[in-house]
Amino acid sequence: MTSRSPLHRLWLALRAIFLRPARLQIAALCYRVRDGRREVLLVSSRGTGRWILPKGWPLLDRASERTAEVEAFEEAGVIGRVRRLPYARIRSTKGLDSGLRVPTDVLVYLLKAEAQAEEYPERGERELRWLPVEDAASLADEADVARLLTRMCRDVTIWSQT
């Protein structure tokens, strides 16, 4: 079985289906302080252009917080320090290629942005916006993300460590 054979690709797809936690995604809540403003990152979804957090399916060979780092880099080029424990668990929906929308649970990890690469895997596929947290809460397309950002505005433990 070679890595390019149809049988190998089928095996990888089946393995991913059965080994992935059912409907669990991992998100990165990227934040920074720039010119005294507390900002967070929202990215547009590729299909519908909704404003969301960078997120994806768990990577089988990585801890969840490392998956959050990967998603932040792949979708927005963000490089930074991720906290080891999730900040929140929220509900979301994932649009599949078939057009079906699947409800998902999302573990959200805080990632303090330290840099942003000019080249990254999904460059040009999404729009990126660094926004004051209050503005991001208004722009977020999912109610749980908006509530999470509103909570984050008041969370002095995050902002006192920046």
Side-chain angles (χ1 to χ4, degrees):
M1 207 169 20
T2 69
S3 63
R4 298 180 195 274
S5 75
L7 186 57
H8 187 256
R9 288 195 306 271
L10 176 62
W11 161 247
L12 291 175
L14 288 173
R15 185 180 77 164
I17 289 169
F18 290 108
L19 294 180
R20 249 185 215 147
R23 298 190 207 149
L24 175 68
Q25 290 198 297
I26 307 298
L29 176 44
C30 304
Y31 69 99
R32 69 184 185 187
V33 176
R34 176 169 271 173
D35 300 326
R37 287 184 355 166
R38 298 182 300 181
E39 298 178 328
V40 294
L41 176 72
L42 292 180
V43 300
S44 64
S45 64
R46 286 188 289 193
T48 61
R50 297 176 310 122
W51 290 103
I52 61 172
L53 299 175
K55 67 180 186 249
W57 300 112
L59 298 173
L60 298 176
D61 61 342
R62 303 221 173 149
S64 294
E65 69 271 16
R66 298 296 164 227
T67 297
E69 278 182 323
V70 168
E71 292 301 325
F73 180 77
E74 286 182 353
E75 295 185 15
V78 174
I79 301 163
R81 286 183 293 135
V82 67
R83 294 201 185 168
R84 194 174 73 75
L85 298 175
Y87 180 63
R89 185 181 193 117
I90 62 173
R91 295 287 290 163
S92 182
T93 57
K94 173 69 176 168
L96 303 179
D97 292 338
S98 65
L100 182 67
R101 300 204 54 79
V102 177
T104 60
D105 286 325
V106 181
L107 289 179
V108 180
Y109 288 85
L110 292 174
L111 188 145
K112 183 178 179 185
E114 296 172 344
Q116 195 162 5
E118 290 193 27
E119 295 295 325
Y120 51 94
E122 295 182 19
R123 182 172 185 235
E125 296 179 28
R126 301 174 183 275
E127 212 178 313
L128 313 176
R129 287 195 190 166
W130 283 100
L131 300 158
V133 186
E134 301 84 358
D135 295 350
S138 298
L139 185 61
D141 278 304
E142 296 177 325
D144 278 5
V145 172
R147 280 191 289 277
L148 177 63
L149 293 171
T150 300
R151 177 180 129 202
M152 185 185 193
C153 284
R154 298 185 304 264
D155 192 338
V156 293
T157 60
I158 296 170
W159 303 108
S160 63
Q161 297 173 8
T162 54

